[in-house]
Amino acid sequence: MKPAFFQALRNPLWWLLLAALAMLPLGLPSYYLHIATLTLVYVALGSAWNIVGGVGGQISLAHSLFVGTGAMLASAMLLNSGINMWVGLVVAALVSGLMGFLIAVIDFRFKLGHLSFALITLAFAEMGEIIVIGWDYLGGASGLFLPRDKGDFSAFQFGGGEGAFYVMLFLAALSVLVSFAILNLPLGYYLRTIRDNENAARAIGVNIFRNKALAMVISAVLASIIGTAYARYLTFADPYLLSSPVLTIEIVLMATVGGLGRSMGPALGALLLVPLGEILRGKLGGVLPGLHYFVYGGVVVAVILATPRGLLPLIQERFARLRGNAKPEGSVASSGA
Amino acid sequence: MLEVTSLFAGYGGRPVLEEVTVRIEKGRLVGLLGANNAGKSTFIHTLSGVVPAMSGRIVFEGEDITTLSPQARVERGIIQVPEGRLVFPDMTIRENLLLGGQHKLARPKRSQRIDEVLELLPRLKERLEQKAGTLSGGEQQMLAIGRGLVAGPKLLMLDEPSLGLAPKFVQYIFEIIEKLHREGLTVLLVEQNLNLTLRHASYCYVLERGRVEVEGASSIVRDDPRTKKAYLGL
């Protein structure tokens, strides 16, 4: 682990931010608490996706497969087989990790380019949704209703509202921390060499398959765990929400707006776009059907046109210019891989 | 040091290289010449393991490496400096150099080698914390060579180091190569630049459409009419 990593961990700013976030439920009406929780779900998912999509530069559209597995499989195991949801969470995470590994094998075996990788992962995600909807054990088209959350921790219950918020805060922090750690580990450097130039990476002896597969498995396991917790929060495992490729598109969109390949980029994107989407829906949803999507889409297009690399690099550069020296992250480690 | 015997290699089942036999002795600077599409890059990629051999044998220091992975070959000291100065533009020069020595055998000597590289290429020293993408073409080529050196090469394979560089830089890069050679490094220089390569290399191979057309001491290759023919494609 690199000095930059520990330096950042010692930075009180992050701990203050975390503490401030942890205080949030105290004063927040339940509707806004819901938005805050939802935001954290997407911070977590965006950061998990960013390991493959941002750092590794592989636009994976398969992530709804992992979220869906975490949500639907763990819920189904509880409802149809009476298996504790903690166990379900672990089993689903293992299954997701395995699927991620298989995707990496296919990618490597057939030397997929960027476009074919995106399309094949999308095809897997579509297949995943069809399987969930067609298989009664996983809830079929009607989904699965989880038992009421009574706050029994041993049964993967966190008492709804506030409890769910803290679970998501934990997962969001975990996801951001994992991607930050990866960026500062050799794995992150290798992924970036592969992203920037696969041939040059080979020329210096980087093991392409091992690094890509490792990134995919880590990302898939995280997404699956978040999926299980998300289903528990919603108390309704909805296949059309949790195993739909649309979910992945949302994640990719937020990560892109925030800034790909940076540990805080997807978090920033989610922090801005989830509340924006929810508030627009609240304010405009009743005015004219679809108007909120229209405005939301307009904002996203404007941001992407204005800063194609995302908001975070832009903010960091402005900030660096003000301070006159600070370097943008992604190149912080002075001792390298 | 390196013996390539009757090598066939190519892409998608179609051979680009046909029956290529090349011998590189320790400490030599060997040139591989040829026009575009002669198979020069394919040859380098087959040596580094990126393109698999279809048949034939590659023996390095007495060991058959024909089927070894690219990583395993890097660990044995077969280092490629890829064509087109493939540095990692988003990383600093220091990070690029560090990544050159990322494999496990190079790690213990990495910082010492970086110091040596910076002594050899002082221009990089001034810019250590600068992003590689901000360097000029010639500086990027230096960095690519430096990155290769940090890996601890026994055989350094340079793929068209002069490509697209200003004459002043071409001169400088060749001086560096010459210097490395004089210090005892075995070099395979793959080039289109006929005259410069013939001047620096002691032994040359000329590829034409995937076959070795001419080989011999540079002075002989220079005067062989088939060399011109291979270049002009007559």
Side-chain angles (χ1 to χ4, degrees):
Chain A
M1 202 76 70
K2 300 304 151 203
F5 180 77
F6 294 108
Q7 221 174 315
L9 279 194
R10 275 201 300 271
N11 189 339
L13 206 71
W14 297 115
W15 297 104
L16 279 174
L17 182 71
L18 203 61
L21 283 170
M23 309 272 255
L24 212 56
L26 296 178
L28 222 53
S30 68
Y31 172 61
Y32 292 99
L33 184 64
H34 167 69
I35 294 179
T37 309
L38 206 58
T39 305
L40 290 173
V41 171
Y42 281 92
V43 168
L45 286 175
S47 303
W49 180 84
N50 190 42
I51 295 166
V52 171
V55 185
Q58 291 191 287
I59 305 303
S60 158
L61 299 179
H63 273 60
S64 62
L65 200 60
F66 312 136
V67 181
T69 302
M72 308 312 294
L73 183 60
S75 303
M77 283 169 69
L78 171 69
L79 292 170
N80 298 330
S81 310
I83 295 167
N84 184 299
M85 213 157 166
W86 285 106
V87 179
L89 173 138
V90 172
V91 171
L94 291 176
V95 170
S96 294
L98 186 66
M99 288 193 293
F101 182 75
L102 289 178
I103 288 173
V105 169
I106 291 169
D107 171 44
F108 184 73
R109 176 70 187 75
F110 296 98
K111 298 186 166 64
L112 300 180
H114 285 296
L115 183 62
S116 26
F117 181 80
L119 292 177
I120 280 180
T121 49
L122 178 63
F124 279 125
E126 294 280 2
M127 279 157 60
E129 189 183 16
I130 291 168
I131 288 170
V132 169
I133 288 168
W135 192 2
D136 282 340
Y137 181 80
L138 292 177
S142 51
L144 294 164
F145 280 96
L146 291 167
R148 210 166 63 81
D149 193 334
K150 283 175 277 186
D152 178 3
F153 188 76
S154 66
F156 200 70
Q157 294 179 359
F158 309 101
E162 278 180 36
F165 175 89
Y166 286 116
V167 170
M168 288 308 170
L169 184 60
F170 171 75
L171 287 176
L174 178 72
S175 234
V176 170
L177 192 70
V178 168
S179 41
F180 185 53
I182 286 176
L183 270 169
N184 283 282
L185 280 168
L187 175 62
Y189 278 84
Y190 298 159
L191 289 172
R192 284 166 63 202
T193 66
I194 296 168
R195 175 190 68 191
D196 288 348
N197 202 315
E198 202 165 311
N199 281 332
R202 275 208 191 87
I204 58 168
V206 169
N207 189 325
I208 309 281
F209 172 69
R210 187 172 63 197
N211 288 291
K212 276 187 175 176
L214 192 56
M216 194 57 151
V217 169
I218 294 171
S219 180
V221 166
L222 276 174
S224 176
I225 294 172
I226 299 158
T228 310
Y230 192 18
R232 178 61 270 182
Y233 169 59
L234 296 170
T235 60
F236 171 47
D238 178 358
Y240 294 102
L241 173 67
L242 295 165
S243 63
S244 157
V246 175
L247 179 73
T248 316
I249 304 289
E250 282 181 295
I251 297 168
V252 176
L253 200 67
M254 289 176 198
T256 310
V257 165
L260 290 180
R262 303 176 181 249
S263 52
M264 290 305 289
L268 180 70
L271 239 49
L272 294 173
L273 289 181
V274 177
L276 178 75
E278 287 297 311
I279 288 164
L280 282 176
R281 192 165 61 142
K283 301 278 184 231
L284 300 176
V287 180
L288 192 68
L291 182 61
H292 61 289
Y293 283 128
F294 196 77
V295 176
Y296 181 84
V299 171
V300 169
V301 169
V303 171
I304 289 178
L305 285 180
T307 77
R309 288 178 306 145
L311 285 167
L312 192 64
L314 187 81
I315 293 169
Q316 279 177 330
E317 274 159 28
R318 288 279 152 86
F319 198 62
R321 216 171 298 158
L322 281 179
R323 298 216 315 209
N325 57 354
K327 277 183 295 174
E329 187 215 339
S331 63
V332 277
S334 54
S335 61
Chain B
M1 168 174 253
L2 181 85
E3 273 177 74
V4 178
T5 319
S6 303
L7 181 72
F8 284 75
Y11 308 89
R14 271 203 7 237
V16 173
L17 299 175
E18 291 180 33
E19 232 190 323
V20 173
T21 296
V22 166
R23 232 180 109 84
I24 300 176
E25 271 162 51
K26 199 168 164 52
R28 296 291 275 278
L29 200 173
V30 173
L32 183 71
L33 293 156
N36 269 335
N37 288 320
K40 303 190 299 291
S41 291
T42 307
F43 183 69
I44 270 204
H45 287 318
T46 313
L47 291 188
S48 65
V50 176
V51 174
M54 295 155 105
S55 69
R57 250 160 73 90
I58 307 171
V59 175
F60 183 70
E61 293 195 310
E63 182 192 8
D64 189 334
I65 60 159
T66 317
T67 54
L68 283 186
S69 70
Q71 303 92 258
R73 296 185 201 206
V74 168
E75 283 171 10
R76 278 161 182 70
I78 304 176
I79 308 296
Q80 176 192 0
V81 178
E83 183 185 341
R85 316 181 273 284
L86 301 180
V87 297
F88 304 115
D90 278 346
M91 297 187 200
T92 64
I93 290 162
R94 184 196 296 278
E95 288 168 334
N96 266 277
L97 291 173
L98 281 163
L99 278 163
Q102 57 81 29
H103 67 88
K104 57 179 180 287
L105 296 178
R107 279 181 187 230
K109 294 181 193 144
R110 185 158 64 168
S111 54
Q112 181 201 333
R113 284 202 186 116
I114 288 180
D115 290 341
E116 290 167 10
V117 165
L118 293 178
E119 206 171 300
L120 180 73
L121 304 164
R123 264 169 181 276
L124 298 180
K125 199 172 190 170
E126 303 154 20
R127 297 169 168 76
L128 263 184
E129 303 305 331
Q130 210 169 305
K131 291 253 170 93
T134 64
L135 295 178
S136 75
E139 290 165 340
Q140 288 190 18
Q141 183 63 60
M142 283 181 217
L143 178 57
I145 293 174
R147 189 181 62 195
L149 292 174
V150 177
K154 287 180 182 159
L155 170 65
L156 188 70
M157 306 185 293
L158 298 144
D159 195 353
E160 306 250 9
S162 76
L163 191 75
L165 294 188
K168 187 184 72 173
F169 269 119
V170 173
Q171 193 66 35
Y172 182 71
I173 295 286
F174 271 80
E175 274 167 29
I176 298 287
I177 296 168
E178 181 74 46
K179 196 169 169 193
L180 291 168
H181 166 56
R182 263 186 278 116
E183 284 169 9
L185 186 64
T186 314
V187 179
L188 174 63
L189 180 59
V190 172
E191 262 293 343
Q192 265 196 73
N193 192 324
L194 189 66
N195 290 326
L196 262 174
T197 309
L198 286 169
R199 198 184 310 152
H200 288 89
S202 53
Y203 200 91
C204 281
Y205 292 84
V206 181
L207 276 183
E208 190 188 2
R209 280 186 234 121
R211 288 174 179 276
V212 176
E213 271 302 308
V214 192
E215 67 164 286
S218 297
S219 53
I220 294 170
V221 170
R222 186 196 319 266
D223 297 331
D224 195 309
R226 288 174 301 171
T227 305
K228 290 259 149 42
K229 188 179 147 273
Y231 260 80
L232 299 172
L234 293 171

